[in-house]
Amino acid sequence: AVVSTQSTGYLSVLTFRAVGQLFTQAQQIQEWLNKSAYLIAESGKSVNWSTPLGLPCVQPYTKDKRYHVTTPIQDINVKFPAPEMPVNKRKQSSAFPPNFVHSQDSTHMLMTAIECYHAGIPFAAVHDSFWTLPNHVDEMNRILRQQFILMYSVDVLKQLKESFEAYNPDLQFTDLPDSGLLDINCVKDSPYFFA
């Protein structure tokens, strides 16, 4: 069946609206991340941050460099990102929330892998799917919850804002959204925390 782009566009609007209504704080955080990234990009800089383990992250999104190439067969236009070009504000802004979340997820994975190594537990992972041998599942589950609590016992967004302010003292970032009342320690007892 052929689905029109108009239909898919309509469904995406409804989906994002429903998600925003169900997860208002997550939506507010995403908006704060978008606005902060756009503010940085407007100043001509790429968005950069560090993971909780200190790994520096930089978004490389710049405007495309365009070339017109004439061949004996045809004329084509070629475009590719180039570091010397100005930053792409839209891409810096739209890509930052998922990139930031992925950097947090990969940090959690690395922290879990390190602790599994110290505990003598075989560990493998792809993105957010963690594996071990069946006789080690319970211990790995305890470790991944422990590392999650350790990582998020500090205010990650507050640290991010402080680093943005330190690297961009000329910019005025908006206040962070309310962090809510979740006790991070409740993940210890959550059967569906991680699958």
Side-chain angles (χ1 to χ4, degrees):
V2 176
V3 179
S4 73
T5 53
Q6 186 178 14
S7 299
T8 56
Y10 173 72
L11 290 173
S12 70
V13 168
L14 290 180
T15 301
F16 279 110
R17 186 179 302 151
V19 168
Q21 290 171 352
L22 287 172
F23 305 104
T24 55
Q25 286 181 300
Q27 182 83 19
Q28 291 169 359
I29 291 168
Q30 180 181 351
E31 288 171 6
W32 185 87
L33 293 170
N34 280 121
K35 288 176 185 175
S36 298
Y38 193 82
L39 184 64
I40 293 168
E42 269 192 321
S43 74
K45 299 177 189 173
S46 291
V47 178
N48 66 75
W49 69 100
S50 294
T51 69
L53 291 176
L55 179 70
C57 302
V58 180
Q59 295 193 135
Y61 311 118
T62 58
K63 292 187 177 177
D64 293 333
K65 200 167 202 172
R66 299 170 188 268
Y67 291 100
H68 182 80
V69 179
T70 302
T71 70
I73 300 171
Q74 66 184 357
D75 286 357
I76 58 172
N77 291 312
V78 180
K79 66 179 187 173
F80 58 91
E84 70 276 4
M85 297 294 286
V87 296
N88 182 329
K89 294 180 225 174
R90 185 188 56 77
K91 183 72 173 169
Q92 288 282 335
S93 176
S94 66
F96 180 57
N99 286 343
F100 179 72
V101 169
H102 290 314
S103 75
Q104 301 304 296
D105 289 347
S106 63
T107 297
H108 176 238
M109 180 192 69
L110 186 55
M111 291 169 66
T112 301
I114 291 167
E115 286 305 309
C116 282
Y117 173 79
H118 290 307
I121 297 173
F123 180 87
V126 173
H127 188 53
D128 58 358
S129 182
F130 298 2
W131 307 309
T132 192
L133 299 173
N135 59 321
H136 296 289
V137 169
D138 291 340
E139 181 64 9
M140 185 188 74
N141 276 322
R142 186 194 64 75
I143 290 171
L144 73 88
R145 285 167 170 76
Q146 172 194 53
Q147 294 306 305
F148 190 85
I149 291 167
L150 178 65
M151 186 170 148
Y152 289 107
S153 291
V154 298
D155 191 336
V156 173
L157 290 177
K158 181 180 175 196
Q159 288 180 337
L160 177 66
K161 183 180 182 203
E162 289 171 353
S163 74
F164 279 174
E165 291 169 338
Y167 287 110
N168 305 282
D170 51 321
L171 301 179
Q172 292 294 315
F173 295 91
T174 59
D175 291 338
L176 288 167
D178 182 33
S179 60
L181 303 173
L182 176 69
D183 177 5
I184 197 69
N185 290 295
C186 72
V187 302
K188 286 181 194 172
D189 303 316
S190 174
Y192 303 109
F193 166 69
F194 213 86

